[in-house]
mmCIF file of all heavy atoms in Angstrom:
data_model
loop_
_atom_site.group_PDB
_atom_site.id
_atom_site.type_symbol
_atom_site.label_atom_id
_atom_site.label_comp_id
_atom_site.label_asym_id
_atom_site.label_seq_id
_atom_site.Cartn_x
_atom_site.Cartn_y
_atom_site.Cartn_z
ATOM 1 N N ASN A 615 -53.884 -55.379 -71.074
ATOM 2 C CA ASN A 615 -52.500 -55.120 -71.517
ATOM 3 C C ASN A 615 -52.414 -54.334 -72.807
ATOM 4 O O ASN A 615 -51.436 -53.605 -72.981
ATOM 5 C CB ASN A 615 -51.758 -56.504 -71.705
ATOM 6 C CG ASN A 615 -51.597 -57.231 -70.399
ATOM 7 O OD1 ASN A 615 -51.459 -56.607 -69.335
ATOM 8 N ND2 ASN A 615 -51.582 -58.546 -70.466
ATOM 9 N N TRP A 616 -53.396 -54.411 -73.614
ATOM 10 C CA TRP A 616 -53.310 -53.807 -74.949
ATOM 11 C C TRP A 616 -53.909 -52.398 -74.914
ATOM 12 O O TRP A 616 -54.958 -52.105 -75.416
ATOM 13 C CB TRP A 616 -54.012 -54.623 -76.041
ATOM 14 C CG TRP A 616 -53.275 -55.900 -76.341
ATOM 15 C CD1 TRP A 616 -53.437 -57.122 -75.823
ATOM 16 C CD2 TRP A 616 -52.174 -56.000 -77.258
ATOM 17 N NE1 TRP A 616 -52.549 -58.016 -76.310
ATOM 18 C CE2 TRP A 616 -51.731 -57.342 -77.215
ATOM 19 C CE3 TRP A 616 -51.522 -55.092 -78.087
ATOM 20 C CZ2 TRP A 616 -50.694 -57.810 -77.959
ATOM 21 C CZ3 TRP A 616 -50.442 -55.570 -78.855
ATOM 22 C CH2 TRP A 616 -50.041 -56.923 -78.802
ATOM 23 N N GLY A 617 -53.213 -51.499 -74.231
ATOM 24 C CA GLY A 617 -53.675 -50.140 -74.092
ATOM 25 C C GLY A 617 -53.692 -49.385 -75.399
ATOM 26 O O GLY A 617 -54.445 -48.397 -75.570
ATOM 27 N N ASN A 618 -52.916 -49.845 -76.365
ATOM 28 C CA ASN A 618 -52.887 -49.143 -77.673
ATOM 29 C C ASN A 618 -54.017 -49.599 -78.597
ATOM 30 O O ASN A 618 -54.239 -49.001 -79.633
ATOM 31 C CB ASN A 618 -51.548 -49.363 -78.369
ATOM 32 C CG ASN A 618 -51.264 -50.816 -78.617
ATOM 33 O OD1 ASN A 618 -51.730 -51.704 -77.872
ATOM 34 N ND2 ASN A 618 -50.532 -51.124 -79.661
ATOM 35 N N ARG A 619 -54.719 -50.702 -78.177
ATOM 36 C CA ARG A 619 -55.824 -51.200 -79.039
ATOM 37 C C ARG A 619 -57.207 -51.001 -78.370
ATOM 38 O O ARG A 619 -58.222 -50.872 -79.129
ATOM 39 C CB ARG A 619 -55.645 -52.683 -79.292
ATOM 40 C CG ARG A 619 -54.404 -53.027 -80.129
ATOM 41 C CD ARG A 619 -54.389 -54.511 -80.514
ATOM 42 N NE ARG A 619 -53.229 -54.830 -81.316
ATOM 43 C CZ ARG A 619 -53.008 -56.065 -81.858
ATOM 44 N NH1 ARG A 619 -53.903 -57.004 -81.639
ATOM 45 N NH2 ARG A 619 -51.962 -56.295 -82.591
ATOM 46 N N PHE A 620 -57.270 -50.975 -77.084
ATOM 47 C CA PHE A 620 -58.554 -50.849 -76.375
ATOM 48 C C PHE A 620 -58.410 -49.786 -75.327
ATOM 49 O O PHE A 620 -57.355 -49.613 -74.693
ATOM 50 C CB PHE A 620 -58.984 -52.193 -75.746
ATOM 51 C CG PHE A 620 -58.769 -53.361 -76.630
ATOM 52 C CD1 PHE A 620 -57.839 -54.343 -76.355
ATOM 53 C CD2 PHE A 620 -59.504 -53.490 -77.829
ATOM 54 C CE1 PHE A 620 -57.626 -55.409 -77.192
ATOM 55 C CE2 PHE A 620 -59.335 -54.602 -78.658
ATOM 56 C CZ PHE A 620 -58.392 -55.568 -78.373
ATOM 57 N N VAL A 621 -59.533 -49.133 -75.057
ATOM 58 C CA VAL A 621 -59.561 -48.094 -74.020
ATOM 59 C C VAL A 621 -60.748 -48.348 -73.108
ATOM 60 O O VAL A 621 -61.874 -48.610 -73.604
ATOM 61 C CB VAL A 621 -59.604 -46.684 -74.583
ATOM 62 C CG1 VAL A 621 -60.807 -46.502 -75.521
ATOM 63 C CG2 VAL A 621 -59.646 -45.608 -73.507
ATOM 64 N N SER A 622 -60.547 -48.318 -71.809
ATOM 65 C CA SER A 622 -61.637 -48.458 -70.858
ATOM 66 C C SER A 622 -62.256 -47.087 -70.565
ATOM 67 O O SER A 622 -61.562 -46.185 -70.137
ATOM 68 C CB SER A 622 -61.061 -49.045 -69.528
ATOM 69 O OG SER A 622 -62.082 -49.074 -68.541
ATOM 70 N N ILE A 623 -63.525 -46.940 -70.904
ATOM 71 C CA ILE A 623 -64.180 -45.605 -70.826
ATOM 72 C C ILE A 623 -64.941 -45.489 -69.493
ATOM 73 O O ILE A 623 -65.562 -44.420 -69.254
ATOM 74 C CB ILE A 623 -65.095 -45.374 -71.993
ATOM 75 C CG1 ILE A 623 -66.269 -46.368 -71.992
ATOM 76 C CG2 ILE A 623 -64.368 -45.446 -73.339
ATOM 77 C CD1 ILE A 623 -67.321 -46.105 -73.077
ATOM 78 N N GLY A 624 -64.963 -46.494 -68.672
ATOM 79 C CA GLY A 624 -65.659 -46.483 -67.412
ATOM 80 C C GLY A 624 -66.886 -47.344 -67.403
ATOM 81 O O GLY A 624 -67.441 -47.710 -68.454
ATOM 82 N N GLU A 625 -67.343 -47.699 -66.236
ATOM 83 C CA GLU A 625 -68.546 -48.506 -66.017
ATOM 84 C C GLU A 625 -68.432 -49.841 -66.715
ATOM 85 O O GLU A 625 -69.465 -50.454 -67.125
ATOM 86 C CB GLU A 625 -69.787 -47.786 -66.526
ATOM 87 C CG GLU A 625 -70.061 -46.446 -65.860
ATOM 88 C CD GLU A 625 -70.226 -46.520 -64.353
ATOM 89 O OE1 GLU A 625 -70.805 -47.533 -63.900
ATOM 90 O OE2 GLU A 625 -69.767 -45.618 -63.628
ATOM 91 N N GLY A 626 -67.182 -50.368 -66.901
ATOM 92 C CA GLY A 626 -66.997 -51.670 -67.527
ATOM 93 C C GLY A 626 -67.096 -51.674 -69.019
ATOM 94 O O GLY A 626 -67.095 -52.731 -69.674
ATOM 95 N N PHE A 627 -67.146 -50.486 -69.667
ATOM 96 C CA PHE A 627 -67.225 -50.410 -71.154
ATOM 97 C C PHE A 627 -65.791 -50.285 -71.736
ATOM 98 O O PHE A 627 -64.929 -49.645 -71.174
ATOM 99 C CB PHE A 627 -68.078 -49.179 -71.550
ATOM 100 C CG PHE A 627 -69.520 -49.329 -71.299
ATOM 101 C CD1 PHE A 627 -70.150 -48.809 -70.175
ATOM 102 C CD2 PHE A 627 -70.317 -50.060 -72.219
ATOM 103 C CE1 PHE A 627 -71.455 -48.957 -69.973
ATOM 104 C CE2 PHE A 627 -71.698 -50.179 -71.997
ATOM 105 C CZ PHE A 627 -72.259 -49.646 -70.857
ATOM 106 N N TYR A 628 -65.640 -50.886 -72.934
ATOM 107 C CA TYR A 628 -64.399 -50.806 -73.684
ATOM 108 C C TYR A 628 -64.732 -50.397 -75.128
ATOM 109 O O TYR A 628 -65.775 -50.749 -75.684
ATOM 110 C CB TYR A 628 -63.643 -52.151 -73.684
ATOM 111 C CG TYR A 628 -63.044 -52.520 -72.375
ATOM 112 C CD1 TYR A 628 -63.779 -53.145 -71.376
ATOM 113 C CD2 TYR A 628 -61.714 -52.178 -72.053
ATOM 114 C CE1 TYR A 628 -63.220 -53.470 -70.129
ATOM 115 C CE2 TYR A 628 -61.138 -52.486 -70.852
ATOM 116 C CZ TYR A 628 -61.904 -53.139 -69.898
ATOM 117 O OH TYR A 628 -61.345 -53.414 -68.682
#
Side-chain angles (χ1 to χ4, degrees):
N615 295 330
W616 288 95
N618 61 330
R619 294 188 180 184
F620 316 113
V621 57
S622 174
I623 65 175
E625 303 300 325
F627 287 99
Y628 288 86

